[in-house]
Amino acid sequence: MKSFVFPHQHSYRLVQLTDCHLLAQPDGWYQGCQPALHLRQIIAFLQSDRPDAVILTGDLTQDHSAASYALLAELLCPLDCPVFLVPGNHDDLHLLTELTQRRPFVAAESLLLADWQLFLLDSKGPTPAGSFPQPKQQGLEQQFRQSTSAHFWLFMHHHPQPLACFIDQYGLTEQQAFWQLLQDEPRVRGLSHGHAHLAYQRQQQGIQLVGCPASSVQFLETPDWQTVNQGPQWCEWQFSAGGTVRWQFKRI
């Protein structure tokens, strides 16, 4: 597992962006919004209030075209902090790997911040649903055992527990085994995901779950697929060296 080690400091401010759904054309439309415009507004905000890092948790483009990833690189190039990638069901793994060769993107599967280790998990499967099969579970369990960090947090695209709305049909397919793995490791403090286009937070069996709102459009909590354009949104994180964590949903 390739890890990125941050210099030691009292606290770390990270920005999570998810479900950008960019298209090949900068003025393209997705579900009633122009996703490139939304993302451009967020990046302009971050330039004036620089985070320590940005984590992109999947579905970065809608059409998974080379042009859409080139647009993503163009939009994020003004950032002078590392940008990490987590794939979503819409993403092309080959094109994502190519992106990590360009600044400001950095290839990593975990981030080390003082007493924290943040795991960046790949839940992309053969269908729109998420997949984290047994070999990946065993690999993560081994990383848990080998880590000397005091606190763990996980970032992934798909949601690991039902949300009681239409997106559940595209949730993680190995939910029970994956959730048991997290419960068996007491250092796992929480998990944040994208995919649901829904800002929420809840404690479940001692583990904090946080849904990051989409930078494009939000999904309504309904049995059928409904979207609403509420402007650019994201989640900001503060991980302290002392082991506390805070988050805040943001919008423009």
Side-chain angles (χ1 to χ4, degrees):
M1 176 175 285
K2 185 175 183 179
S3 296
F4 183 92
V5 182
F6 286 82
H8 193 278
Q9 55 196 56
H10 177 67
S11 66
Y12 304 83
R13 174 172 164 256
L14 274 60
V15 165
Q16 181 184 1
L17 299 174
T18 197
D19 296 275
C20 308
H21 288 278
L22 296 177
L23 297 129
Q25 299 300 321
D27 59 353
W29 288 83
Y30 167 75
Q31 293 298 311
C33 86
Q34 291 181 289
L37 176 61
H38 279 198
L39 187 56
R40 192 183 302 275
Q41 291 176 301
I42 295 174
I43 299 307
F45 176 86
L46 297 181
Q47 284 183 269
S48 63
D49 191 15
R50 179 188 182 275
D52 293 299
V54 171
I55 302 175
L56 303 178
T57 50
D59 280 5
L60 308 180
T61 84
Q62 169 65 15
D63 58 14
H64 41 80
S65 65
S68 64
Y69 285 103
L71 177 59
L72 178 68
E74 175 190 334
L75 292 173
L76 269 65
C77 73
L79 294 177
D80 59 354
C81 65
V83 176
F84 304 98
L85 302 169
V86 175
N89 48 283
H90 277 280
D91 287 310
D92 182 288
L93 294 179
H94 175 71
L95 293 175
L96 279 186
T97 300
E98 287 188 347
L99 264 188
T100 60
Q101 309 304 313
R102 305 174 60 175
R103 197 198 68 81
F105 302 100
V106 178
E109 296 169 283
S110 81
L111 313 180
L112 296 169
L113 309 82
D115 289 336
W116 286 93
Q117 185 165 4
L118 314 183
F119 292 90
L120 310 181
L121 305 183
D122 176 3
S123 62
K124 180 177 172 62
T127 72
S131 181
F132 204 78
Q134 189 174 29
K136 286 186 177 181
Q137 294 175 31
Q138 292 172 340
L140 181 59
E141 185 178 21
Q142 183 179 15
Q143 293 301 318
F144 286 166
R145 290 197 304 267
Q146 294 175 348
S147 176
T148 59
S149 297
H151 313 285
F152 297 155
W153 198 277
L154 288 70
F155 288 88
M156 65 193 303
H157 180 67
H158 293 83
H159 56 298
Q161 290 286 285
L163 297 174
C165 56
F166 91 97
I167 198 68
D168 286 342
Q169 63 185 308
Y170 304 120
L172 202 65
T173 55
E174 304 87 1
Q175 289 184 10
Q176 184 174 357
F178 178 76
W179 193 252
Q180 188 62 54
L181 170 61
L182 303 192
Q183 286 189 291
D184 289 344
E185 174 49 72
R187 290 176 291 176
V188 173
R189 299 278 300 280
L191 179 150
S192 180
H193 64 85
H195 191 49
H197 293 236
L198 176 67
Y200 81 92
Q201 51 193 331
R202 76 183 190 208
Q203 278 269 350
Q204 187 154 333
Q205 297 166 303
I207 296 174
Q208 182 71 50
L209 288 177
V210 179
C212 181
S215 70
S216 54
V217 298
Q218 311 314 311
F219 293 170
L220 300 182
E221 296 178 80
T222 53
D224 58 333
W225 184 36
Q226 299 185 47
T227 66
V228 59
N229 181 6
Q230 297 176 331
Q233 298 189 43
W234 70 99
C235 186
E236 297 206 356
W237 296 85
Q238 289 280 352
F239 290 93
S240 78
T244 60
V245 56
R246 294 184 293 111
W247 58 90
Q248 183 178 12
F249 302 131
K250 307 277 285 188
R251 70 169 63 187
I252 295 174

